[in-house]
Structures are given as structure tokens and as C-alpha cells.
């Protein structure tokens, strides 16, 4: 019945995955084109790297398909799944990307100007290359459409809500995947109250009650909530007004500041990379980690309050899955919520690391698999 291709397009990279289609998508190979623009490079995970030179999304896709030829094994690509950052208020599930759906997603570009255009450029390239194959859009916002109104709105005049100024929440593909694992392996827990902490270069926490998102730390944009590699996280909006009025900063300069120069990088002045920060002797690196840990503790508390309790905490993402140091630091102040870890199991990155009344789990995320599953459903 053919294979499934997943595509995750950013401003400077195009990640891909090739899967067998049925019954559960079966991973064949992943990789990415990095440094899109002037000096791109194609990397097949565990395989060769190829320097590509100047490359846009469409050229990157051609190069990817050429490199995947040996993996196709005579099969065709039957369906393509795209990670799309913003689905707006309309999409609580994946959608087949026809002209009408794409036009609606294009209208959301102002809500996610740094991501949505790249996602849609990739959709256009894939439709041109595979005109007969279904293209499926999977949204980072979709999992959060279950938020109650109080977690969906800001306290602005009502017309702003109606014009789309809402707390959308992001990282939904990751939370969808984690919730699926909870359904399969921890059926009693998924019926309870779980704070899922996705800690990667981007970072957020989602309150999952009875398998549904009821609150998340990210809001209108992927800037809110936790500090991240280079993003500020929660910020008093008065700071933005002050920078504009007193320092004459433009929207572009503030965008650059908040998305690319803040967070762990801005606080440490050293790097956005947690592994490097943990190894650093620079006191600013230690302070950046202190701030990061404190904000995670604070937001886990907020998520517990938003659910009326806490039965479990799940760590995922590059930092959540791999850093026993950060997990240890975060949990050492959460004993009052029943959250403590067994030092040995935490150090060994075991799945169950809790030592108190509240379950504490490490579950590796797999956002691409959520996309591949949506395509598998569309191509049957
Ligand atoms: P992305 O959000 O781009 O997918 P990842 O989920 O891969 O990013 O997370 C990247 C982060 O995970 C980096 O800050 C990296 O240093 C951190 N990380 C990965 N492995 C470890 C580790 N063993 N210890 C501490 N941090 C780690």
C-alpha cells in the first residue's frame, strides 16, 4: 500500500521520516536537511551526509527523495504528513490539505509568522512533487482545543478573543504521543491528573486531566511560559512596552530579542545548550539553570492547581529525557505535591523514577509518529 513520509519544516531545517504504513507505522529512516539557504547539508540519521549548497524547501525535498530512493525498496510514497505549528481555533485533529484547507492555514500566518510560512512552503513543495498522494496537516495547537474558556482567553476586551487572540498552546503532537503511551501503559494514570513537561530547545508543560489538555504554559505564541534555549518564556508585557517606548526598539528587534537571544542563552551569556551549561563553571550558567529549574517547579505547581491535584509528572524532550540533574533539581522542591525521585533510578534514566505518592515518569516523545499515524489513517 506504499510508504509514509513525514515532514517537519522550520526556517532553517527540514526534518523527515519514512515509515511503512500498516498497521502501526514502522520507522524505516529519519534525517534532515540542515542550514537551508546558502550552505545546506543533507543528513541521513546513522548514514551519510551530503553538502547541498544553496537550497530552498522544494530543492531540499527533491534531494531528500533522491537520498531516500534506496530505502523505498520499489514502493511508492502513498501519503505525506506535515507538522504545522498553527491550526487556529478550527482544528482539533489532523486535516487533509486541499486548496481550501491550505487557504485557511495561510490566513493564520500572522499568528505564527516565524513558523507557519515555512510549514506551508513545504506543503506546496510536497504537493507539487506528489500530486496524487494525500497530504495531511498535523497541528501543534490541536491537542489543546479542549482547554476550558478560562485557559483559552486573556483578560482583554472580548473582541480580541473573537479576533483570535487566545491561549492556543503548542507542542501538541508531543503531548498527544505521551498521552497515547499513558493510555496504553498507564491506564489508571491517564484518567487522573498529569503534568507533562516537554523540555527540549522549546519547552512547555501541559496539564492533562482524563487524557485531555486542560492548561498549558504556552499561550498565544510559542514564547510564553517556561524559559527555553533562546526564548524568554513568560514576560510582563510591560517590559515590551518599555523597550518600545524608552529604548525605541522595533517589533523586529524585540522579536529577535525574545525568540533568539533570551532564555538560557541570554541568562548565561554562554550557550542555549543544557549539556554545555551543566558542564560549565561559569556562575552565569549556574544562575541560568537556577532560573530554569525554578520556573519549571512554579509551573508544575500551577498545572497541579489548574487540575485540582496531581497524580503524575512526565518528563520528555531532550532535557526531560536525558538530564537526571535537571529532573533531580526540579523535583527536590516538589515533595509537598508528593513528587520525589529515587536517586538511582533517576540517574539511570529509568521509566519510573518516582519515590513518593505521585508517579514520576520519563517517556521519550515521538512527534513524527503521531504524524505518521494520521497519514496511515488517511491512506487506508
Ligand atoms: P528540540 O526541541 O530542538 O527537538 P531536543 O528535544 O533535542 O530539542 O532538546 C535539546 C536539548 O536537550 C539541548 O539543550 C541539549 O543540551 C539537551 N540535552 C540532550 N541530552 C542531554 C543530556 N544528556 N543532559 C543534559 N541535556 C541534554
Amino acid at each position: 500500500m506504499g510508504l509514509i513520509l513525514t515532514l517537519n519544516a522550520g526556517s532553517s531545517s527540514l526534518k523527515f521520516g519514512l515509515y511503512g504504513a500498516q498497521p502501526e507505522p514502522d520507522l524505516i529512516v529519519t534525517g534532515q536537511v540542515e542550514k537551508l539557504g546558502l550552505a545546506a547539508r543533507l543528513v541521513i540519521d546513522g548514514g551519510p551526509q551530503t553538502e547541498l549548497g544553496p537550497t530552498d524547501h522544494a530543492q531540499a525535498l527533491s534531494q531528500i527523495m533522491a537520498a531516500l530512493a534506496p530505502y523505498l525498496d520499489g514502493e511508492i510514497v502513498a501519503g505525506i504528513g506535515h507538522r504545522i505549528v498553527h491550526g487556529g481555533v478550527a482544528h482539533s485533529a489532523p486535516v487533509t490539505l486541499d486548496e481550501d484547507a491550505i487557504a485557511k492555514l495561510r490566513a493564520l500566518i500572522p499568528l505564527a509568522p516565524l513558523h507557519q510560512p515555512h510549514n506551508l512552503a513545504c506543503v506546496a513543495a510536497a504537493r507539487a512533487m506528489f500530486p496524487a498522494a494525500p497530504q495531511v496537516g498535523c497541528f501543534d495547537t490541536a491537542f489543546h482545543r479542549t482547554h476550558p474558556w478560562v485557559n483559552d482567553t486573556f483578560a482583554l476586551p472580548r473582541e480580541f478573543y473573537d479576533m483570535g487572540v487566545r491561549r492556543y498552546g503548542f507542542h501538541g503532537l508531543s503531548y498527544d504521543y505521551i498521552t497515547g503511551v499513558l493510555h496504553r501503559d498507564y491506564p489508571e494514570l491517564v484518567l487522573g491528573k498529569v503534568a507533562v513537561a516537554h523540555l527540549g530547545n522549546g519547552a512547555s508543560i501541559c496539564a492533562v486531566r482524563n487524557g485531555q489538555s486542560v492548561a498549558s504554559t504556552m499561550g498565544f505564541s510559542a514564547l510564553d511560559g517556561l524559559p527555553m534555549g533562546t526564548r524568554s518564556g513568560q514576560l510582563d508585557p510591560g517590559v515590551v512596552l518599555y523597550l518600545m517606548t524608552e529604548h525605541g526598539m522595533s517589533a523586529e528587534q524585540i522579536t529577535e530579542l525574545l525568540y533568539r537571544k533570551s532564555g538560557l542563552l541570554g541568562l548565561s551569556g554562554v550557550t542555549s545548550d543544557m549539556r554545555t551549561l551543566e558542564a560549565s563553571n561559569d556562575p552565569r550558567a549556574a544562575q541560568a539553570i537556577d532560573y530554569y529549574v525554578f520556573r519549571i517547579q512554579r509551573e508544575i505547581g500551577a498545572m497541579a492547581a489548574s487540575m485540582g491535584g496531581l497524580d503524575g509528572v512526565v518528563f520528555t524532550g531532550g532535557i526531560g529525557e536525558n538530564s537526571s540533574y535537571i529532573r533531580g533539581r526540579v523535583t527536590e522542591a516538589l515533595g509537598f505535591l508528593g513528587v520525589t525521585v529515587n536517586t538511582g533510578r533517576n540517574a539511570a534514566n529509568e521509566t519510573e523514577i518516582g519515590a513518593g505518592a505521585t508517579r514520576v515518569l520519563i517517556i521519550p516523545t515521538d512527534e513524527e509518529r503521531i504524524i505518521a499515524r494520521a497519514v496511515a489513517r488517511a491512506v487506508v
Side-chain angles (χ1 to χ4, degrees):
M1 73 166 310
L3 304 179
I4 291 169
L5 181 67
T6 63
L7 296 172
N8 178 355
S11 57
S12 64
S13 71
L14 176 53
K15 295 183 185 163
F16 61 88
L18 185 68
Y19 292 81
Q22 287 292 332
E24 167 71 13
D26 186 18
L27 178 63
I28 299 170
V29 66
T30 56
Q32 61 181 301
V33 174
E34 306 167 342
K35 299 185 185 163
L36 280 176
L38 287 179
R41 178 193 304 143
L42 172 69
V43 181
I44 300 273
D45 292 335
Q49 301 191 2
T50 317
E51 301 299 329
L52 299 180
T55 308
D56 63 15
H57 283 99
Q59 290 160 333
L61 185 56
S62 305
Q63 297 287 351
I64 288 168
M65 290 319 300
L68 286 181
Y71 297 91
L72 293 177
D73 202 20
E75 298 226 48
I76 58 154
V77 173
I80 295 136
H82 298 267
R83 181 178 189 169
I84 297 187
V85 68
H86 220 302
V89 296
H91 295 303
S92 56
V95 69
T96 299
L97 297 169
D98 56 18
E99 285 299 337
D100 184 46
I102 291 170
K104 288 188 176 126
L105 296 177
R106 212 174 281 126
L108 297 173
I109 285 176
L111 296 182
L114 301 184
H115 297 99
Q116 196 88 339
H118 305 293
N119 301 157
L120 294 179
C122 184
V123 171
R127 290 182 89 215
M129 180 171 273
F130 301 99
Q135 312 270 335
V136 180
C138 301
F139 306 102
D140 273 308
T141 50
F143 187 71
H144 301 292
R145 295 314 302 144
T146 46
H147 281 188
W149 183 76
V150 287
N151 281 329
D152 193 33
T153 192
F154 297 99
L156 293 169
R158 299 196 75 108
E159 60 266 30
F160 288 89
Y161 182 82
D162 296 336
M163 70 172 74
V165 182
R166 303 187 186 196
R167 294 180 198 270
Y168 292 99
F170 297 88
H171 285 139
L173 301 176
S174 177
Y175 295 128
D176 197 352
Y177 178 80
I178 297 294
T179 304
V181 173
L182 294 177
H183 269 291
R184 188 191 64 202
D185 297 342
Y186 305 90
E188 325 84 37
L189 187 57
V190 79
L191 296 177
K193 300 157 183 168
V194 184
V196 184
H198 178 110
L199 309 176
N201 282 317
S204 68
I205 306 179
C206 180
V208 178
R209 189 174 62 199
N210 200 12
Q212 293 193 324
S213 171
V214 294
S216 55
T217 58
M218 279 182 174
F220 177 71
S221 71
L223 270 183
D224 203 2
L226 302 178
M228 308 175 214
T230 63
R231 288 175 247 164
S232 62
Q234 188 271 328
L235 191 73
D236 179 342
V239 172
V240 175
L241 297 176
Y242 170 79
L243 295 176
M244 290 168 66
T245 56
E246 299 302 317
H247 291 270
M249 286 179 75
S250 66
E252 290 74 21
Q253 288 170 322
I254 294 175
T255 299
E256 180 71 10
L257 172 72
L258 299 184
Y259 277 93
R260 300 209 177 87
K261 295 186 173 161
S262 297
L264 295 171
L265 172 65
L267 279 176
S268 70
V270 178
T271 177
S272 63
D273 187 84
M274 183 56 80
R275 241 176 316 198
T276 312
L277 288 174
E278 286 183 20
S280 170
N281 292 322
D282 191 320
R284 297 173 304 165
Q287 278 196 321
I289 292 177
D290 288 346
Y291 182 81
Y292 185 73
V293 165
F294 175 69
R295 297 305 297 203
I296 295 170
Q297 292 166 338
R298 196 176 180 274
E299 294 298 336
I300 288 176
M303 293 298 115
S306 69
M307 294 185 284
L310 190 66
D311 301 311
V313 173
V314 177
F315 287 99
T316 193
I319 297 170
E321 292 165 26
N322 297 301
S323 177
S324 56
Y325 177 68
I326 294 295
R327 292 190 303 260
R329 288 279 310 272
V330 165
T331 51
E332 75 192 4
L334 295 181
F336 76 100
L337 286 172
V339 179
T340 56
V341 294
N342 175 292
T343 310
R345 290 204 296 271
N346 182 38
N349 289 335
E350 287 187 19
T351 304
E352 291 245 28
I353 60 172
T358 301
R359 306 281 283 274
V360 184
L361 304 172
I362 304 170
I363 302 179
T365 197
D366 191 350
E367 292 152 304
E368 272 69 28
R369 179 161 294 277
I370 289 294
I371 303 172
R373 284 178 185 159
V375 180
R377 288 195 297 273
V379 296
V380 288

